[in-house]
Amino acid sequence: MNLHHSDLKGGVAIEDHGIIGDLRTVALVGYEGTIDWLCFPYFDSPSLFAALLDPDKGGYWRVSPVPNHVQKRQFYWPDTNVLVTRFYTPNGVGELIDLMPLGRGAKAEGREVLRRIRVVRGEMAFRMECFPAFNYARDEHETHIVEGGAAFLSKNLSMQLVTNVPLQRDKGGVVAHFTLRESQSAVFTLREGGKEGCHHHLHTHDSAEKLFRDTVDYWRHWLSKCKYTGRWREMVQRSALALKLMTFEPSGAIIAAPTCSLPESAGGTRNWDYRYCWLRDAAFTVYAFIRIGFNEEAAAFMRWVEKRCADHGDGPLPLMFRLDGSPVPPEEQLKHLRGYGGARPVRIGNAAAHQLQLDIYGELMDSVYLSNKYAAPISYDFWRHLRRLVDWVCDHWQMEDEGIWEIRGSRRHFVYSKLMCWVAVDRAIRLADKRSLPADRAKWLKTRDAIFEEIMDRGWCQEKGAFIQAYGNDALDAANLLMPLVFFLSPVDPRMLSTLDVIRKPPRNGGLTSDGLVFRYQADQKLDGIEGSEGTFNLCSFWLVEAMTRASTVRPDLLDEARLIFERMQGYANHLGLYAEQTGLSGEALGNFPQALTHLSLISAAYNLDRTLGRHD
């Protein structure tokens, strides 16, 4: 579906992937049957397959027909995260089913990636290739053919490829050639283990079928809790399923994306590692999950957040964590990998973990407020930790910071950061009053009012007719679209309506919007300290939809346009309904994939747009 394959030198485009997972890690499966990204055992573990970042060195696992130049179709089994890739040839139809077992059978069988290829009609020849590359292709490994498959042994991790199909060694990997007739199947599973006991984990046709059915049942049972019944239900449900795959079940943490270093512009340098949990995601996560009925996921995430607050001492709160709550590893460059489409450097770890981003307190307190209101009341001990954080915000909100977009230039007084400091104090006051909790109300009220007045004075540009990105700089910032969404301003306040109109202009006319797709800001190295350009930011496009929806009470014309933009955005999802972080000038996916915040904002925009349209239809 993508026109830029030739630019990738043998790689598969970002948008030509689906994902499977087991709530601990995720694998990206290309449309031609290749797993070219898998970190194991967890999301933030080193990669086992990383051909997405280097088709030659990164490692991959392919199951495909011979010859491979056949018609293909990839889709999810309805209402699940079980992925099906179907191959159509003159001699028959083959079907590759990819999944990570969940449900009743998964507990007994252990964690594994299961790939089952079968022929639906006729007869087909296939080739299987498995070439792992441990630790981002930095660790050497041994390959052994053993009873029941093959073993790959490295110094820190050993894996078994389990199958009854005969395998042959090929350098550091294994290959297999086999032919299947109608109703025949072959099963391959990848699991942790050494040279011994491989044959004990062989799957028969029946046992693989049972795992398939159990996993389908698991996902359908989970999705049945979804309360959303409005327009675009399939897109909302697919977003929910994608978000669930990015949830780390043991702790409730939610990663920003399961990949790293997928570029924000073709061949560019804006390449980051998103396999960690940002506190910023809290408010959006809790709001989206609660709105459509997934209170358990919202509550689990809040327990994770509470633990982070309890463990925190004095000073600013870290803005991102590893899945277990430990610090994010230092940022480093993998110079031996050429990068997706040649985009370098390839980065792992994230230096932004040490930035000051004052907005996280607003998102944190908003999530706590929503969770207390819709899910479960917070404890007194949690309140004590939160009260300490709010007092810190009251003492430090006037500091410059790096802001929501994690700039790598000099710190500034970002308007969005001040806005979310206001949200932090406002939600703390509301929560204290709602629950009659002890607090320094006089200090908090004074601070909240002072922040409000300063934003309206220094964050508003009369000449531009819009709220600006930072004090003393009249650049626009799509993050200010959240002002009415967090109840800082009325959605029909004249300043907000004017800001909407300015942002909706195309960049050539001073705005941020191109055919309904929104740039987060005009990328400028002088401002953000990063070379290169980027695409439109999908999160911001959905924020625009929601801001326009809320403003439509006095501007009815905005409602029709909001619906048009929302439905136009659906056309930029990939063939499976998944979104990356950004959309390129040619409609290609850019940035890490899939992106949690994109899907969270889609759910929120759909919910509010559908509710508003319901009153008008």
PDB file of all heavy atoms in Angstrom, residues 265-279:
ATOM      1  N   SER A 265      11.067  12.099   9.957  1.00  0.00           N
ATOM      2  CA  SER A 265      11.139  12.555   8.569  1.00  0.00           C
ATOM      3  C   SER A 265      12.027  11.577   7.817  1.00  0.00           C
ATOM      4  O   SER A 265      12.934  10.965   8.406  1.00  0.00           O
ATOM      5  CB  SER A 265      11.702  13.978   8.476  1.00  0.00           C
ATOM      6  OG  SER A 265      13.031  14.032   8.945  1.00  0.00           O
ATOM      7  N   ALA A 266      11.762  11.392   6.527  1.00  0.00           N
ATOM      8  CA  ALA A 266      12.495  10.408   5.744  1.00  0.00           C
ATOM      9  C   ALA A 266      13.992  10.686   5.794  1.00  0.00           C
ATOM     10  O   ALA A 266      14.442  11.772   5.426  1.00  0.00           O
ATOM     11  CB  ALA A 266      12.001  10.418   4.300  1.00  0.00           C
ATOM     12  N   GLY A 267      14.770   9.705   6.266  1.00  0.00           N
ATOM     13  CA  GLY A 267      16.207   9.846   6.339  1.00  0.00           C
ATOM     14  C   GLY A 267      16.683  10.848   7.371  1.00  0.00           C
ATOM     15  O   GLY A 267      17.870  11.199   7.385  1.00  0.00           O
ATOM     16  N   GLY A 268      15.792  11.302   8.256  1.00  0.00           N
ATOM     17  CA  GLY A 268      16.128  12.375   9.188  1.00  0.00           C
ATOM     18  C   GLY A 268      16.797  11.908  10.470  1.00  0.00           C
ATOM     19  O   GLY A 268      17.070  10.722  10.671  1.00  0.00           O
ATOM     20  N   THR A 269      17.046  12.867  11.353  1.00  0.00           N
ATOM     21  CA  THR A 269      17.766  12.611  12.601  1.00  0.00           C
ATOM     22  C   THR A 269      16.858  12.625  13.830  1.00  0.00           C
ATOM     23  O   THR A 269      17.330  12.365  14.936  1.00  0.00           O
ATOM     24  CB  THR A 269      18.867  13.670  12.795  1.00  0.00           C
ATOM     25  OG1 THR A 269      18.265  14.973  12.868  1.00  0.00           O
ATOM     26  CG2 THR A 269      19.858  13.635  11.644  1.00  0.00           C
ATOM     27  N   ARG A 270      15.583  12.950  13.652  1.00  0.00           N
ATOM     28  CA  ARG A 270      14.660  12.987  14.792  1.00  0.00           C
ATOM     29  C   ARG A 270      14.155  11.567  15.067  1.00  0.00           C
ATOM     30  O   ARG A 270      13.023  11.206  14.733  1.00  0.00           O
ATOM     31  CB  ARG A 270      13.500  13.940  14.492  1.00  0.00           C
ATOM     32  CG  ARG A 270      13.945  15.395  14.331  1.00  0.00           C
ATOM     33  CD  ARG A 270      12.824  16.280  13.798  1.00  0.00           C
ATOM     34  NE  ARG A 270      13.270  17.656  13.650  1.00  0.00           N
ATOM     35  CZ  ARG A 270      12.885  18.674  14.441  1.00  0.00           C
ATOM     36  NH1 ARG A 270      12.033  18.451  15.420  1.00  0.00           N
ATOM     37  NH2 ARG A 270      13.352  19.895  14.249  1.00  0.00           N
ATOM     38  N   ASN A 271      15.005  10.784  15.697  1.00  0.00           N
ATOM     39  CA  ASN A 271      14.746   9.357  15.904  1.00  0.00           C
ATOM     40  C   ASN A 271      14.905   9.038  17.384  1.00  0.00           C
ATOM     41  O   ASN A 271      16.008   9.137  17.925  1.00  0.00           O
ATOM     42  CB  ASN A 271      15.732   8.517  15.084  1.00  0.00           C
ATOM     43  CG  ASN A 271      15.931   9.059  13.673  1.00  0.00           C
ATOM     44  OD1 ASN A 271      14.967   9.433  13.012  1.00  0.00           O
ATOM     45  ND2 ASN A 271      17.175   9.114  13.226  1.00  0.00           N
ATOM     46  N   TRP A 272      13.825   8.616  18.040  1.00  0.00           N
ATOM     47  CA  TRP A 272      13.829   8.491  19.504  1.00  0.00           C
ATOM     48  C   TRP A 272      13.331   7.117  19.937  1.00  0.00           C
ATOM     49  O   TRP A 272      12.652   6.410  19.192  1.00  0.00           O
ATOM     50  CB  TRP A 272      12.970   9.587  20.129  1.00  0.00           C
ATOM     51  CG  TRP A 272      13.146  10.931  19.497  1.00  0.00           C
ATOM     52  CD1 TRP A 272      12.236  11.611  18.736  1.00  0.00           C
ATOM     53  CD2 TRP A 272      14.326  11.761  19.534  1.00  0.00           C
ATOM     54  NE1 TRP A 272      12.760  12.804  18.303  1.00  0.00           N
ATOM     55  CE2 TRP A 272      14.046  12.930  18.780  1.00  0.00           C
ATOM     56  CE3 TRP A 272      15.574  11.639  20.134  1.00  0.00           C
ATOM     57  CZ2 TRP A 272      14.966  13.961  18.617  1.00  0.00           C
ATOM     58  CZ3 TRP A 272      16.491  12.665  19.972  1.00  0.00           C
ATOM     59  CH2 TRP A 272      16.187  13.804  19.225  1.00  0.00           C
ATOM     60  N   ASP A 273      13.631   6.787  21.173  1.00  0.00           N
ATOM     61  CA  ASP A 273      13.216   5.509  21.775  1.00  0.00           C
ATOM     62  C   ASP A 273      11.978   5.753  22.630  1.00  0.00           C
ATOM     63  O   ASP A 273      12.033   6.474  23.630  1.00  0.00           O
ATOM     64  CB  ASP A 273      14.370   4.959  22.632  1.00  0.00           C
ATOM     65  CG  ASP A 273      14.116   3.534  23.110  1.00  0.00           C
ATOM     66  OD1 ASP A 273      12.978   3.043  22.953  1.00  0.00           O
ATOM     67  OD2 ASP A 273      15.060   2.912  23.624  1.00  0.00           O
ATOM     68  N   TYR A 274      10.860   5.143  22.233  1.00  0.00           N
ATOM     69  CA  TYR A 274       9.580   5.374  22.919  1.00  0.00           C
ATOM     70  C   TYR A 274       9.107   4.168  23.733  1.00  0.00           C
ATOM     71  O   TYR A 274       7.933   4.089  24.089  1.00  0.00           O
ATOM     72  CB  TYR A 274       8.498   5.721  21.882  1.00  0.00           C
ATOM     73  CG  TYR A 274       8.498   7.164  21.438  1.00  0.00           C
ATOM     74  CD1 TYR A 274       9.527   8.029  21.780  1.00  0.00           C
ATOM     75  CD2 TYR A 274       7.458   7.662  20.670  1.00  0.00           C
ATOM     76  CE1 TYR A 274       9.528   9.346  21.364  1.00  0.00           C
ATOM     77  CE2 TYR A 274       7.444   8.992  20.245  1.00  0.00           C
ATOM     78  CZ  TYR A 274       8.481   9.824  20.601  1.00  0.00           C
ATOM     79  OH  TYR A 274       8.482  11.138  20.193  1.00  0.00           O
ATOM     80  N   ARG A 275       9.984   3.239  24.048  1.00  0.00           N
ATOM     81  CA  ARG A 275       9.553   2.005  24.700  1.00  0.00           C
ATOM     82  C   ARG A 275       9.477   2.132  26.222  1.00  0.00           C
ATOM     83  O   ARG A 275       9.716   1.173  26.948  1.00  0.00           O
ATOM     84  CB  ARG A 275      10.510   0.869  24.323  1.00  0.00           C
ATOM     85  CG  ARG A 275      10.516   0.541  22.823  1.00  0.00           C
ATOM     86  CD  ARG A 275      11.634  -0.409  22.469  1.00  0.00           C
ATOM     87  NE  ARG A 275      12.933   0.166  22.805  1.00  0.00           N
ATOM     88  CZ  ARG A 275      13.996  -0.543  23.170  1.00  0.00           C
ATOM     89  NH1 ARG A 275      13.904  -1.855  23.271  1.00  0.00           N
ATOM     90  NH2 ARG A 275      15.143   0.048  23.449  1.00  0.00           N
ATOM     91  N   TYR A 276       9.096   3.310  26.679  1.00  0.00           N
ATOM     92  CA  TYR A 276       9.030   3.578  28.109  1.00  0.00           C
ATOM     93  C   TYR A 276       7.676   4.180  28.455  1.00  0.00           C
ATOM     94  O   TYR A 276       6.858   4.448  27.572  1.00  0.00           O
ATOM     95  CB  TYR A 276      10.182   4.511  28.517  1.00  0.00           C
ATOM     96  CG  TYR A 276      11.527   4.023  28.025  1.00  0.00           C
ATOM     97  CD1 TYR A 276      12.220   4.703  27.024  1.00  0.00           C
ATOM     98  CD2 TYR A 276      12.065   2.842  28.511  1.00  0.00           C
ATOM     99  CE1 TYR A 276      13.436   4.240  26.550  1.00  0.00           C
ATOM    100  CE2 TYR A 276      13.279   2.362  28.041  1.00  0.00           C
ATOM    101  CZ  TYR A 276      13.959   3.058  27.053  1.00  0.00           C
ATOM    102  OH  TYR A 276      15.141   2.571  26.570  1.00  0.00           O
ATOM    103  N   CYS A 277       7.461   4.400  29.729  1.00  0.00           N
ATOM    104  CA  CYS A 277       6.166   4.915  30.171  1.00  0.00           C
ATOM    105  C   CYS A 277       6.313   6.368  30.609  1.00  0.00           C
ATOM    106  O   CYS A 277       7.036   6.671  31.557  1.00  0.00           O
ATOM    107  CB  CYS A 277       5.629   4.064  31.327  1.00  0.00           C
ATOM    108  SG  CYS A 277       3.962   4.528  31.820  1.00  0.00           S
ATOM    109  N   TRP A 278       5.626   7.256  29.911  1.00  0.00           N
ATOM    110  CA  TRP A 278       5.607   8.686  30.218  1.00  0.00           C
ATOM    111  C   TRP A 278       4.453   8.995  31.169  1.00  0.00           C
ATOM    112  O   TRP A 278       3.309   8.568  30.945  1.00  0.00           O
ATOM    113  CB  TRP A 278       5.405   9.499  28.954  1.00  0.00           C
ATOM    114  CG  TRP A 278       6.623   9.913  28.204  1.00  0.00           C
ATOM    115  CD1 TRP A 278       7.135  11.173  28.113  1.00  0.00           C
ATOM    116  CD2 TRP A 278       7.482   9.101  27.395  1.00  0.00           C
ATOM    117  NE1 TRP A 278       8.255  11.190  27.309  1.00  0.00           N
ATOM    118  CE2 TRP A 278       8.500   9.932  26.860  1.00  0.00           C
ATOM    119  CE3 TRP A 278       7.508   7.732  27.087  1.00  0.00           C
ATOM    120  CZ2 TRP A 278       9.503   9.455  26.031  1.00  0.00           C
ATOM    121  CZ3 TRP A 278       8.513   7.245  26.263  1.00  0.00           C
ATOM    122  CH2 TRP A 278       9.495   8.100  25.741  1.00  0.00           C
ATOM    123  N   LEU A 279       4.712   9.764  32.215  1.00  0.00           N
ATOM    124  CA  LEU A 279       3.622  10.205  33.084  1.00  0.00           C
ATOM    125  C   LEU A 279       2.617  11.059  32.316  1.00  0.00           C
ATOM    126  O   LEU A 279       1.436  11.105  32.649  1.00  0.00           O
ATOM    127  CB  LEU A 279       4.172  11.005  34.263  1.00  0.00           C
ATOM    128  CG  LEU A 279       4.833  10.194  35.379  1.00  0.00           C
ATOM    129  CD1 LEU A 279       5.330  11.133  36.464  1.00  0.00           C
ATOM    130  CD2 LEU A 279       3.869   9.178  35.971  1.00  0.00           C
TER     131      LEU A 279
END
